[in-house]
C-alpha cells in the first residue's frame, strides 16, 4: 500500500504555483506566505508537486529520461514496418546528429526547466513563510530537488542559466552560465541541502519514504563528482569516494537477493533503493509506463495485462553479449524464443507462431520487423496494480549497487586499495551468479556498470566518461568519433526556440 503522507498530499494538492518553461516568460508564484505554509503539512502539499515534476524526468515516456539513454549502445527506438515509432528527431539523437531545432530536445528542455521553475517558486514561498524557521529541512528538500533538475540540465547542455528566482522578468532575462559554474552550483546546493536533511538512520523509513534523505543527496553528489572532469574540467574522485563512504557507513543499505527485487511494485522497504519517486495511479498520482513503451504486444497475454504493450524501446547484441551465461540479470531481459511465466509454454500469436525476439538487422532503422530488438523488463508487472496502462511500480532513481560501483571506480581511478575495489565489483557480480573477477580494470567497471544498470539512466554519462561514447560503434552509430575533436557531441544543442525567446543564451560549440 502506498498511503504515505507525501502521496496523500500530492493527490489532494493543486499545483498553485506557476513555473517557467521558456526563459522569456514572465511568471509569478501565486502563493502568499502570509496566508499559506502555516505548518509543515501545508508546505508539503506544494513540495510534493516538485517531486511529481521530478518524476516526469524519470518516466518511460518522458524525454528527461530518454535523453539519458538515447545515443548510447543499449537503448534504441526504431520505426516499425507495421507502422509507428519512427521519429526523425529521435533518430538524430541516436545517431549523434542532433540539431538545435530537434523537437524532442525542446521537450526535454521544457520538462527539466519546468521542474526547476517549480522548485524556485515553492522555495521562495517556503523561505518567506512566517514559519520558515520550522521548515529548514523542507527548504533543504526543495533545494535538493532543484539541484536534481540542474544536474540533468548540466549533463545534457552544460552551459545553461543558473536562475533561482520564482519569476523571470522580460526586461532582465537570464544569461548563460558555463558548465563549470553550473557544476559548482549543483555541488553547493546539494552540499547545503545534505546538511539540513535527515539521515535515513534517523527517520521512520516507512513513514518518510520516498522523501529525500542525506543519503539520497550523497549518492547524487557521488555521481556528480564521478563526472567532475567532464563537467568542470577537473577530476574529483576523492570527493566521489567520500560521498560513497557517507552512504556505506550508515549500514542502512544492502543489496537485494536479485536486481529484479528493486523494481517490484512493493519496494517501499527495499534495502537497496536509496532514492525513488512514488507513483500511485489508482489515486491519480503518476504512473509507471515502462511496460507500455518497451514490451512486445504478446506480453499482454504473458502477464494478463488489460492493454497491449506498444513494442517500442529495444536493444541488440551489443548490450546482450556483455552478459555471461548464467548471469541472473539475463532474467530481466527478453530475447530469443519467448514463453509464458512457466518457462515451458510458448508465447504464440493467434496463428500459433511463437514470438522469437532477434537482434536488429533492418539497416535503415525505419522499418524493423516486430520481433527485431530485445527488451528490458525493468519494472516487473508481476504483482503490480494497473490503472489503464499505468503500473504502480515506483521509479528507482538510485540504488546501493550504483554506490558500490562508483566507489570501486573512484578507487581504481585514484590508484588506491585495489583489493577493496575488486571486492565491491565482485559483490555485484556474485549477487547475479557471475564468476568473481581476479583483477580489475576500468574497462571491467565500464562493462559491469552497463550490465548492472541497463536502462537506469546512467549509460550516456558513463560512456562519455569512459570515452566509449565516441570511440565505439553500434547499430545506430557506425562512425568512430574522436574524443577530442568530437567532444562537442557530448553536449546537446540549446534548442533554437530558447535562443529566439532569450537572446542572452549562447549556443553550445559545434551547433
Amino acid at each position: 500500500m502506498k498511503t504515505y503522507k507525501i502521496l496523500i498530499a500530492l493527490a489532494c494538492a493543486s499545483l498553485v504555483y506557476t513555473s517557467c518553461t521558456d526563459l522569456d516568460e514572465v511568471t509569478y508564484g501565486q502563493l502568499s506566505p502570509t496566508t499559506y505554509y502555516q505548518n509543515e503539512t501545508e508546505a508539503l502539499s506544494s513540495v510534493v508537486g516538485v517531486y511529481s515534476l521530478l518524476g516526469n524526468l524519470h518516466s518511460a515516456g518522458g524525454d528527461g529520461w530518454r535523453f539519458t539513454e538515447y545515443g548510447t549502445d543499449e537503448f534504441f527506438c526504431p520505426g516499425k514496418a507495421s507502422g509507428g515509432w519512427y521519429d526523425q528527431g529521435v533518430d538524430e539523437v541516436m545517431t549523434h546528429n542532433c540539431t538545435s531545432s530537434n523537437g524532442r530536445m525542446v521537450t526535454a528542455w521544457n520538462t527539466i526547466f519546468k521542474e526547476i521553475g517549480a522548485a524556485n517558486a515553492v522555495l521562495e514561498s517556503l523561505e518567506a513563510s512566517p514559519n520558515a524557521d520550522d521548515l529548514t529541512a523542507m527548504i533543504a528538500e526543495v533545494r535538493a530537488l532543484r539541484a536534481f533538475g540542474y544536474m540533468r540540465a548540466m549533463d545534457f547542455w552544460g552551459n545553461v542559466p543558473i536562475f533561482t528566482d520564482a519569476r523571470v522578468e522580460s526586461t532582465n532575462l537570464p544569461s548563460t552560465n558555463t558548465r563549470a559554474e553550473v557544476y559548482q552550483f549543483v555541488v553547493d546546493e546539494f552540499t547545503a541541502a545534505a546538511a539540513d536533511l535527515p539521515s535515513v538512520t534517523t527517520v521512520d523509513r516507512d513513514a518518510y519514504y520516498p522523501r529525500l534523505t542525506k543519503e539520497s543527496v550523497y549518492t547524487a553528489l557521488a555521481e556528480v563528482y564521478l563526472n567532475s572532469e567532464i563537467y568542470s574540467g577537473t577530476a574529483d574522485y576523492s570527493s566521489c569516494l567520500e560521498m560513497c563512504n557517507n552512504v556505506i557507513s550508515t549500514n542502512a543499505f544492502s543489496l537485494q537477493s536479485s536486481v529484479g527485487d528493486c523494481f517490484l511494485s512493493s519496494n517501499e522497504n527495499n534495502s537497496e533503493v536509496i532514492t525513488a519517486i512514488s507513483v500511485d495511479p489508482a489515486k491519480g498520482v503518476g504512473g509507471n509506463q515502462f511496460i507500455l513503451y518497451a514490451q512486445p504486444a504478446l506480453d499482454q497475454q504473458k502477464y494478463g495485462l488489460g492493454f497491449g504493450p506498444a513494442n517500442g524501446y529495444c536493444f541488440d547484441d551489443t548490450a546482450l553479449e556483455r552478459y555471461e551465461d548464467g548471469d541472473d540479470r539475463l532474467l530481466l531481459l527478453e530475447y530469443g524464443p519467448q514463453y509464458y511465466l512457466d518457462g515451458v509454454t510458448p508465447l504464440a500469436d493467434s496463428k500459433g507462431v511463437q514470438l522469437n525476439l532477434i537482434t536488429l538487422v533492418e539497416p535503415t532503422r525505419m522499418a524493423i520487423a516486430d520481433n527485431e530488438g530485445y527488451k528490458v523488463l525493468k519494472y516487473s508487472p508481476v504483482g503490480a496494480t494497473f490503472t489503464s496502462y499505468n503500473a504502480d511500480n515506483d521509479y528507482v532513481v538510485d540504488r546501493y549497487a550504483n554506490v558500490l560501483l562508483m566507489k570501486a571506480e573512484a578507487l581504481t581511478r585514484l590508484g588506491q586499495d585495489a583489493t577493496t575495489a575488486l571486492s565491491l565489483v565482485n559483490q555485484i557480480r556474485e549477487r547475479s551468479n557471475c564468476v568473481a573477477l581476479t583483477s580489475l580494470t576500468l574497462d571491467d567497471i565500464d562493462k559491469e556498470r552497463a550490465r548492472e544498470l541497463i536502462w537506469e539512466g546512467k549509460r550516456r554519462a558513463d560512456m562519455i566518461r569512459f570515452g566509449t561514447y565516441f570511440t565505439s560503434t553500434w547499430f545506430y552509430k557506425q562512425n568512430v568519433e574522436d574524443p577530442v575533436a568530437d567532444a562537442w557531441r557530448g553536449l546537446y544543442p540549446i534548442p533554437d526556440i530558447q535562443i529566439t525567446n532569450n537572446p542572452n543564451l549562447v549556443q553550445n560549440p559545434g551547433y
Side-chain angles (χ1 to χ4, degrees):
M1 295 180 65
K2 300 185 179 182
T3 53
Y4 299 96
K5 181 167 64 172
I6 193 166
L7 278 173
I8 294 171
L10 181 54
C12 297
S14 60
L15 302 183
V16 293
Y17 51 79
T18 58
S19 57
C20 58
T21 57
D22 291 319
L23 289 179
D24 68 329
E25 290 185 25
V26 181
T27 57
Y28 298 90
Q30 297 176 349
L31 294 171
S32 170
T34 59
T35 59
Y36 205 58
Y37 296 167
Q38 301 302 309
N39 53 55
E40 181 181 357
T41 301
E42 289 182 355
L44 183 62
S45 68
S46 281
V47 173
V48 292
V50 188
Y51 273 103
S52 178
L53 293 171
L54 181 64
N56 291 342
L57 271 64
H58 295 272
S59 66
D63 286 321
W65 171 76
R66 288 187 290 198
F67 273 86
T68 65
E69 293 287 348
Y70 284 153
T72 74
D73 60 0
E74 71 173 20
F75 182 84
F76 311 137
C77 190
K80 296 291 168 55
S82 59
W85 280 111
Y86 180 76
D87 184 309
Q88 182 178 349
V90 171
D91 197 76
E92 286 179 2
V93 182
M94 290 190 291
T95 57
H96 290 197
N97 291 300
C98 188
T99 66
S100 55
S101 61
N102 188 288
R104 293 296 182 184
M105 185 62 56
V106 172
T107 302
W109 178 284
N110 289 344
T111 299
I112 291 168
F113 279 95
K114 184 175 183 179
E115 191 267 350
I116 290 170
N120 284 341
V122 173
L123 191 58
E124 181 182 89
S125 291
L126 285 171
E127 292 175 334
S129 168
N131 297 293
D133 290 344
D134 299 324
L135 300 173
T136 300
M138 200 170 293
I139 289 170
E141 198 170 357
V142 179
R143 290 181 74 176
L145 288 167
R146 182 176 62 188
F148 270 104
Y150 266 110
M151 178 181 173
R152 188 66 55 86
M154 170 181 65
D155 185 68
F156 286 179
W157 300 287
N159 309 293
V160 298
I162 299 172
F163 188 78
T164 59
D165 293 339
R167 60 195 64 81
V168 181
E169 302 294 346
S170 59
T171 57
N172 187 28
L173 297 177
S175 299
T176 297
N177 289 90
T178 67
R179 196 182 207 183
E181 289 171 336
V182 181
Y183 166 84
Q184 193 59 53
F185 174 78
V186 171
V187 167
D188 290 346
E189 288 295 291
F190 272 142
T191 301
D196 290 330
L197 283 169
S199 168
V200 70
T201 62
T202 64
V203 297
D204 181 329
R205 291 177 78 166
D206 283 351
Y208 192 79
Y209 175 91
R211 297 171 66 180
L212 297 178
T213 62
K214 289 183 186 293
E215 291 71 32
S216 300
V217 174
Y218 291 149
T219 303
L221 269 171
E223 189 168 317
V224 171
Y225 285 130
L226 187 64
N227 292 287
S228 176
E229 189 169 10
I230 302 298
Y231 296 151
S232 73
T234 303
D236 194 354
Y237 300 114
S238 295
S239 293
C240 174
L241 181 61
E242 179 185 357
M243 293 302 110
C244 291
N245 285 335
N246 285 346
V247 177
I248 295 169
S249 65
T250 64
N251 296 313
F253 303 99
S254 61
L255 297 179
Q256 290 283 297
S257 59
S258 72
V259 176
D261 289 345
C262 298
F263 300 92
L264 302 175
S265 172
S266 55
N267 70 346
E268 290 80 13
N269 295 304
N270 195 295
S271 67
E272 187 168 341
V273 174
I274 297 173
T275 309
I277 303 294
S278 270
V279 300
D280 194 343
K283 293 183 174 66
V285 184
N288 191 315
Q289 299 176 359
F290 270 81
I291 299 298
L292 170 67
Y293 280 89
Q295 306 315 125
L298 283 176
D299 272 7
Q300 179 177 16
Q301 299 173 197
K302 181 176 182 178
Y303 296 106
L305 303 174
F307 61 94
N311 195 28
Y313 310 150
C314 64
F315 69 100
D316 73 346
D317 281 337
T318 305
L320 183 64
E321 290 174 354
R322 282 194 278 260
Y323 295 86
E324 63 190 65
D325 291 343
D327 190 328
D328 286 347
R329 292 170 294 199
L330 289 170
L331 298 174
L332 298 178
L333 311 180
E334 293 183 347
Y335 59 97
Q338 296 298 293
Y339 299 87
Y340 280 85
L341 292 175
D342 61 11
V344 176
T345 306
L347 184 61
D349 62 18
S350 59
K351 298 179 181 179
V353 179
Q354 183 179 13
L355 177 61
N356 181 29
L357 297 176
I358 63 173
T359 195
L360 297 174
V361 295
E362 202 283 318
T364 71
R365 309 181 302 273
M366 298 174 63
I368 71 168
D370 284 340
N371 70 323
E372 283 185 54
Y374 309 134
K375 307 294 182 178
V376 177
L377 190 70
K378 202 68 191 186
Y379 292 91
S380 176
V382 177
T385 298
F386 283 85
T387 301
S388 183
Y389 43 72
N390 295 290
D392 64 346
N393 307 61
D394 291 347
Y395 292 120
V396 175
V397 178
D398 252 315
R399 54 191 179 92
Y400 191 57
N402 186 33
V403 173
L404 299 182
L405 289 171
M406 288 194 291
K407 179 175 179 177
E409 183 178 342
L411 286 171
T412 302
R413 290 187 182 275
L414 288 167
Q416 298 177 6
D417 201 350
T419 300
T420 295
L422 178 63
S423 174
L424 293 169
V425 174
N426 278 335
Q427 284 185 52
I428 302 297
R429 292 180 56 78
E430 290 165 4
R431 187 258 292 271
S432 292
N433 197 36
C434 295
V435 176
L437 300 176
T438 57
S439 61
L440 188 65
T441 66
L442 285 174
D443 185 60
D444 292 327
I445 295 171
D446 179 20
K447 289 183 171 61
E448 199 61 43
R449 288 185 62 82
R451 286 185 285 263
E452 178 70 17
L453 302 170
I454 187 170
W455 287 21
E456 292 187 40
K458 310 297 185 186
R459 188 61 180 156
R460 177 179 178 274
D462 284 356
M463 292 191 77
I464 291 172
R465 186 173 69 257
F466 283 100
T468 52
Y469 188 80
F470 308 102
T471 59
S472 296
T473 60
W474 51 89
F475 182 79
Y476 266 87
K477 177 177 169 289
Q478 298 295 319
N479 298 319
V480 173
E481 297 161 344
D482 187 290
V484 177
D486 293 312
W488 60 274
R489 296 184 188 273
L491 284 175
Y492 292 129
I494 307 298
D496 282 339
I497 185 63
Q498 296 300 329
I499 295 177
T500 298
N501 290 338
N502 180 4
N504 291 339
L505 299 183
V506 178
Q507 184 57 270
N508 282 327
Y511 299 100

